[in-house]
């Protein structure tokens, strides 16, 4: 439901669907990652960052969450945090363009 609402650009409703998913399954890293995208598109950068941090806590090897978190840290001028996260992602997947880009 959240992904469909997000595709329809109903970001607030998508966030609510993702929140419900994470309430039902607190380790659902993809729901946190997707919620971060909807929050970011709604202009809620700090909330998006927090959602990505939860995603990485739930699944430390989730490359999508790691690269998104690294990118958001870069956008927030948190360069040391970005390097730490992205270097860790590179160690997990040294040949994945998504990580290296």
């Amino acid at each position: 439901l959240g992904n469909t609402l997000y595709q329809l650009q109903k970001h607030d409703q998508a966030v609510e669907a993702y929140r419900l998913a994470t309430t039902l399954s607190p380790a659902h890293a993809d729901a946190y990652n997707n919620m971060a995208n909807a929050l970011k598109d709604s202009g809620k950068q700090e909330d998006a960052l927090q959602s990505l941090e939860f995603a990485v806590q739930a699944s430390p090897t989730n490359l999508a969450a790691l690269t998104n978190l690294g990118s958001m840290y870069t956008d927030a001028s948190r360069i040391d945090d970005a390097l730490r996260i992205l270097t860790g992602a590179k160690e997990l997947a040294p040949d994945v363009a998504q990580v290296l880009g």
Side-chain angles (χ1 to χ4, degrees):
L1 178 61
N3 291 341
T4 300
L5 291 166
Y6 180 78
Q7 289 294 324
L8 295 171
Q9 297 184 6
K10 295 183 178 190
H11 299 127
D12 291 338
Q13 291 173 309
V15 167
E16 290 310 311
Y18 295 133
R19 281 193 207 285
L20 180 57
T22 60
T23 298
L24 296 172
S25 180
H28 192 344
D30 289 335
Y32 285 113
N33 188 47
N34 292 337
M35 181 167 39
N37 290 329
L39 288 163
K40 182 179 178 186
D41 289 350
S42 297
K44 299 174 183 170
Q45 267 59 17
E46 285 301 315
D47 292 337
L49 209 76
Q50 184 178 35
S51 186
L52 286 169
E53 288 168 345
F54 283 132
V56 170
Q57 286 175 357
S59 179
T61 60
N62 185 310
L63 290 179
L66 288 165
T67 56
N68 286 342
L69 181 58
S71 177
M72 286 217 57
Y73 279 152
T74 299
D75 292 345
S77 298
R78 293 176 56 178
I79 303 305
D80 289 340
D81 290 327
L83 285 172
R84 176 180 50 81
I85 291 295
L86 295 171
T87 299
K90 181 180 177 258
E91 289 173 9
L92 290 171
D95 298 327
V96 175
Q98 175 188 13
V99 173
L100 299 173

